């Protein structure tokens, strides 16, 4: 079967099917918690991504949160749960913010 052949539901051909309003609410809630926890302003970028790692030993779905501060420093952390299961206490403490920053020259494949 060709990659472009009609294999059923047309929504499933490119990417995952829509996740619904509950998923969007969870993403927005996690963004708000991240802004509050790390004292980010409304114009600093926060990205929430749900990924399915392919490596053995990892959970089937995890949530990656990335943010950039006003100076452009990239920070990120992972929560080994789907985004709808993430609770505020799953976020790292605020005092770890500097350790969440990527070192200069290091690239991150997750975000």
């Amino acid at each position: 079967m060709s990659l472009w052949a009609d294999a059923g539901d047309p929504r499933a051909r490119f990417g995952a099917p829509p996740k619904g309003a509950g998923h969007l609410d969870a993403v927005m809630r996690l963004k708000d918690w991240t802004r509050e926890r790390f004292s980010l302003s409304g114009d600093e970028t926060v990205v929430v991504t749900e990924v399915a790692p392919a490596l053995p030993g990892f959970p089937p779905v995890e949530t990656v949160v990335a943010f950039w501060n006003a100076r452009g420093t990239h920070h990120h952390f992972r929560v080994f749960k789907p985004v709808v299961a993430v609770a505020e206490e799953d976020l790292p403490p605020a005092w770890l913010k500097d350790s969440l920053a990527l070192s200069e020259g290091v690239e991150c494949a997750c975000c």
Side-chain angles (χ1 to χ4, degrees):
M1 173 185 273
S2 164
L3 175 64
W4 304 106
D6 185 1
D9 184 0
R11 293 174 298 159
R13 278 186 245 155
F14 298 102
K19 297 187 187 236
H23 180 81
L24 181 58
D25 290 343
V27 168
M28 297 308 292
R29 187 172 51 246
L30 183 50
K31 284 183 173 188
D32 290 342
W33 290 338
T34 301
R35 286 184 194 288
E36 184 178 326
R37 175 73 49 98
F38 298 109
S39 303
L40 303 174
S41 68
D43 61 341
E44 292 175 302
T45 303
V46 178
V47 177
V48 174
T49 308
E50 197 173 75
V51 296
L55 297 173
F58 279 83
V61 177
E62 64 186 25
T63 300
V64 178
V65 179
F67 60 93
W68 290 260
N69 63 15
R71 295 185 318 264
T73 305
H74 176 197
H75 300 74
H76 79 272
F77 61 91
R78 293 174 183 266
V79 180
F80 298 111
K81 298 178 179 179
V83 71
V84 295
V86 175
E88 190 171 5
E89 56 267 12
D90 293 325
L91 275 67
W95 54 267
L96 277 178
K97 181 178 179 180
D98 290 341
S99 68
L100 300 175
L102 288 180
S103 300
E104 199 159 316
V106 174
E107 292 190 26
C108 172
C110 66
C111 36

